Amino acid sequence: MVRNIREVGENRYREEYGRFFEDFTVGDVYEHRPNRTITETDNYWFTLITMNNHPLHFDAEYAAQTEWDQELVNSALTLSVVLGMTVSDVSYQAVANLGWEEVRLTNPVFHGDTLTAESEVVRKRESESRPGQGIVTVETTGFKQTGEKVIEFTRSALIPTREAAGESASTDEADSTDDQ
């Protein structure tokens, strides 16, 4: 998680998150924190709010008769949580998300599973049509506590440069730290 502390006045500091275009380097891998345990309530609410009426997500008796023997976490919830875990590292400063590609669900997620995620920067280029902005593409992978991969996807976002965002090019005043 990218965290910068900036002095904005005498004895006054502002916490800021995210990377600007020039902060991304192809090949860098970001381990996203905090982790997130998916609860039964998370799954039920998300499933019902999104009107996904497949009983495998909210009917314990039905799910017990399937190959899984238990309810599955809605795959759109898995995508949403893992994507959300990446925001402070990848897209907190984004002008726009440009798209997701190749979403693959590689193992089931169940109530009580704890998700972790990491993203690798795979492409970066300046925008041809939007000066002061660039396109950053990452491959994100989500895992559960067993180490099993549960989801992978590629995502691109439009990210401003520091100068275009009106930020100081110098990070001497900023304290960048990676949380445990």
Side-chain angles (χ1 to χ4, degrees):
M1 176 182 302
V2 174
R3 182 175 147 231
N4 297 305
I5 307 297
R6 181 167 55 133
E7 189 170 356
V8 294
E10 186 174 336
N11 298 322
R12 181 175 288 276
Y13 304 89
R14 182 172 299 139
E15 182 176 54
E16 297 176 338
Y17 290 91
R19 289 181 168 82
F20 292 97
F21 180 73
E22 56 270 46
D23 299 327
F24 290 92
T25 301
V26 172
D28 280 357
V29 176
Y30 309 130
E31 295 182 1
H32 308 296
R33 298 294 182 270
N35 301 336
R36 177 67 157 80
T37 301
I38 305 299
T39 68
E40 182 177 49
T41 301
D42 295 330
N43 189 43
Y44 286 4
W45 284 2
F46 188 90
T47 294
L48 296 173
I49 286 170
T50 59
M51 299 179 64
N52 180 337
N53 65 357
H54 195 294
L56 189 54
H57 301 306
F58 62 87
D59 182 335
E61 291 301 314
Y62 176 89
Q65 304 304 313
T66 70
E67 67 180 283
W68 309 111
D69 297 321
Q70 60 185 307
E71 296 156 305
L72 285 176
V73 168
N74 183 320
S75 56
L77 175 57
T78 301
L79 174 63
S80 295
V81 168
V82 171
L83 174 66
M85 293 171 77
T86 73
V87 170
S88 67
D89 284 321
V90 176
S91 59
Y92 197 91
Q93 298 294 338
V95 174
N97 279 311
L98 300 177
W100 295 268
E101 302 170 22
E102 303 173 21
V103 177
R104 293 170 302 284
L105 304 164
T106 54
N107 277 297
V109 176
F110 302 106
H111 302 155
D113 280 340
T114 298
L115 302 180
T116 61
E118 64 183 38
S119 296
E120 180 178 355
V121 181
V122 294
R123 287 187 300 281
K124 172 185 168 179
R125 70 171 179 84
E126 291 182 20
S127 173
E128 295 170 8
S129 61
R130 298 183 68 125
Q133 299 174 356
I135 299 169
V136 175
T137 302
V138 298
E139 288 181 357
T140 297
T141 307
F143 304 90
K144 58 184 176 179
Q145 72 282 353
T146 60
E148 292 173 278
K149 188 184 306 182
V150 296
I151 191 169
E152 18 181 39
F153 56 88
T154 302
R155 171 167 78 120
S156 296
L158 187 62
I159 311 287
T161 63
R162 283 185 190 286
E163 182 179 3
E167 292 291 317
S168 168
S170 170
T171 57
D172 293 342
E173 297 177 37
D175 172 35
S176 288
T177 59
D178 287 326
D179 287 2
Q180 275 37 312

